Amino acid sequence: MNSEKETFQSKKYISKSLYYRVSQFVGFLLGARFFVAALLTFALYVSTFFLFNQEESFRNFVFDFKVHGIIFCTVLTILAGGIINQFYDLEKDHIVKPFRTRIQSFIKQKYFLYAYLGLSAISLGVAWMISHNVFLFFVVYQFFMWFYSHKLSRILILNNLTFVSLTLYPFFGMMVYYETFSKKVFLMAVFLFLILLCIDIVKDTLTRSVDKTFGYITIPNYFKSRNTKIILISLLLITMGVSMKIITKTGVSGFMAYYFAGSLFVMILCIYLFLNSSRKSNFLTLNVLRLWVFIGIIAMLLNGIEHKL
C-alpha cells in the first residue's frame, strides 16, 4: 500500500516538475521575444539574398560565414533586447499581457538579467571575431536597445521612431555591407518604416490608459483621439504614395509588383477601419498590418526565387 502511494506521489512530483520546466522554457521564449526574433531572422535571410546580395550565387552565399555570423549576432541582440525590454516593462505587462507575465513568473528576474548579459556578451564576442567594424555596429545596436527600454520608450514620438529604427537597423547594416544603394531599396525601406510606424502607434492606442498610468507618453494618450486618427490616416496615405512610386518608378515586377499594388487596397481598408475608431477596429487594423508585413516577406521570397530561376 505504501509502495503504491510512494509511486503515485513520485509520478505526481515528476509531472509537476516537468510542467514547471516547460513553463520556465516557454516563459523564457516569450520574455526574449523568441518568435519575433525568428521572424526577423527569416526576413533578414530573405532580404539579404534576394534584395541586397543579387550578384552572389546561392552556393557562395551559403558558405559566406561572415554574413551568417552577422545574422547570428543580430538574433542574439534581438533576444537580449526583448529580455531587457520586458524587464523595464514588467509592471505594465502585468496588466497588458497577463498570460505572458504569468508564464514568465516561473523564472526569477535575475535569471532573465543573466541571460541578457550572456546573450549580449556572446553577440559582441562573435562580432569582434568577424571585424572591428561589425563589433562597433553591434555595440551601437545594443546600447540603443537598452537606452530605448530604459528611457526612450517613455518619450513622446521618440519612442515610436526609435522602436521602428531599431527594428530596421539590422537591414540597414546588411545594405551597407553589400553596398546596395538604389532608389528601389530606399523606397522599400521608407514603405516598411511607415507601416511599422503605423503598427506601433496603433498598438499604443490599445494600451492608452495603461501607458498613461505608468508614465509612457505616447501619441494616443498625449493627443486627442481625433488627432491620433488624423496622424495615422496621414501616414497611411503617405504609404500609399510610396507604394505607387515603387510601382511606377523602380521597375519592380513579379510578386513584388502585385504586393505593392495590393498595398493600396490594404491601406484603404485600414483607413476605413480607423474611421470607425473603436477598440475592435483598431485591433483588427493592427493584425491586418502585421499580416501584410509577413506577406511582404513571402512575396520577396517568391519574387527572388522566380528571378533566380
Side-chain angles (χ1 to χ4, degrees), residues 171-183:
F171 298 91
F172 171 75
M174 282 299 180
M175 184 180 72
V176 172
Y177 178 74
Y178 282 107
E179 298 181 355
T180 312
F181 304 102
S182 66
K183 185 177 182 180

Side-chain angles (χ1 to χ4, degrees), residues 217-285:
I217 306 173
T218 63
I219 287 173
N221 68 34
Y222 184 83
F223 297 103
K224 294 179 180 178
S225 296
R226 182 173 176 273
N227 291 334
T228 301
K229 191 189 301 183
I230 290 170
I231 290 169
L232 283 166
I233 290 174
S234 299
L235 287 171
L236 289 172
L237 289 172
I238 295 170
T239 307
M240 288 176 68
V242 174
S243 272
M244 292 173 69
K245 197 84 171 173
I246 291 170
I247 295 167
T248 57
K249 300 294 183 181
T250 65
V252 70
S253 60
F255 288 97
M256 291 306 293
Y258 291 121
Y259 174 75
F260 287 111
S263 295
L264 300 175
F265 298 99
V266 171
M267 299 305 119
I268 291 170
L269 171 63
C270 291
I271 290 171
Y272 170 76
L273 291 170
F274 278 137
L275 293 175
N276 289 336
S277 192
S278 67
R279 183 177 177 82
K280 186 178 179 181
S281 64
N282 286 349
F283 182 75
L284 181 58
T285 304

Side-chain angles (χ1 to χ4, degrees), residues 5-225:
K5 187 176 180 181
E6 285 175 2
T7 302
F8 174 76
Q9 287 178 340
S10 177
K11 286 181 179 178
K12 190 176 179 182
Y13 173 77
I14 292 170
S15 177
K16 281 186 176 181
S17 178
L18 181 62
Y19 170 75
Y20 185 76
R21 296 300 177 192
V22 170
S23 298
Q24 281 186 317
F25 179 67
V26 173
F28 176 77
L29 293 182
L30 293 174
R33 312 288 202 273
F34 174 80
F35 301 104
V36 174
L39 180 61
L40 280 172
T41 304
F42 175 59
L44 263 174
Y45 270 110
V46 170
S47 60
T48 298
F49 184 62
F50 293 117
L51 185 61
F52 304 134
N53 174 29
Q54 296 183 350
E55 303 297 327
E56 198 173 40
S57 68
F58 181 71
R59 175 184 165 78
N60 290 336
F61 176 73
V62 167
F63 290 100
D64 190 344
F65 296 109
K66 190 173 181 179
V67 171
H68 297 305
I70 292 171
I71 293 177
F72 176 71
C73 292
T74 301
V75 174
L76 294 187
T77 301
I78 291 168
L79 292 172
I83 290 171
I84 201 64
N85 185 251
Q86 71 87 27
F87 179 79
Y88 281 102
D89 288 351
L90 189 60
E91 290 183 338
K92 173 186 165 183
D93 287 346
H94 271 296
I95 299 172
V96 178
K97 302 167 183 175
F99 173 75
R100 196 179 77 183
T101 49
R102 170 61 183 158
I103 294 294
Q104 287 173 216
S105 67
F106 286 93
I107 306 176
K108 292 179 181 179
Q109 285 300 303
K110 68 176 182 179
Y111 294 120
F112 275 116
L113 288 178
Y114 293 155
Y116 165 71
L117 293 172
L119 290 168
S120 298
I122 294 169
S123 175
L124 291 178
V126 174
W128 179 266
M129 288 189 287
I130 296 171
S131 80
H132 293 170
N133 288 337
V134 172
F135 175 77
L136 183 62
F137 176 86
F138 282 101
V139 167
V140 173
Y141 193 21
Q142 290 189 15
F143 171 77
F144 277 102
M145 280 277 199
W146 166 79
F147 195 51
Y148 166 78
S149 300
H150 176 63
K151 201 77 175 174
L152 298 180
S153 62
R154 298 173 183 268
I155 300 175
L156 179 66
I157 298 177
L158 268 180
N159 45 21
N160 301 114
L161 294 177
T162 307
F163 175 80
V164 176
S165 299
L166 286 172
T167 304
L168 294 179
Y169 187 79
F171 298 91
F172 171 75
M174 282 299 180
M175 184 180 72
V176 172
Y177 178 74
Y178 282 107
E179 298 181 355
T180 312
F181 304 102
S182 66
K183 185 177 182 180
K184 175 183 172 182
V185 171
F186 173 74
L187 287 174
M188 284 183 175
V190 172
F191 174 85
L192 185 56
F193 182 91
L194 290 169
I195 285 193
L196 291 175
L197 185 59
C198 288
I199 288 173
D200 203 43
I201 296 172
V202 175
K203 188 173 63 177
D204 289 339
T205 65
L206 300 173
T207 58
R208 179 188 298 154
S209 57
V210 179
D211 286 333
K212 195 169 186 178
T213 302
F214 289 100
Y216 293 82
I217 306 173
T218 63
I219 287 173
N221 68 34
Y222 184 83
F223 297 103
K224 294 179 180 178
S225 296

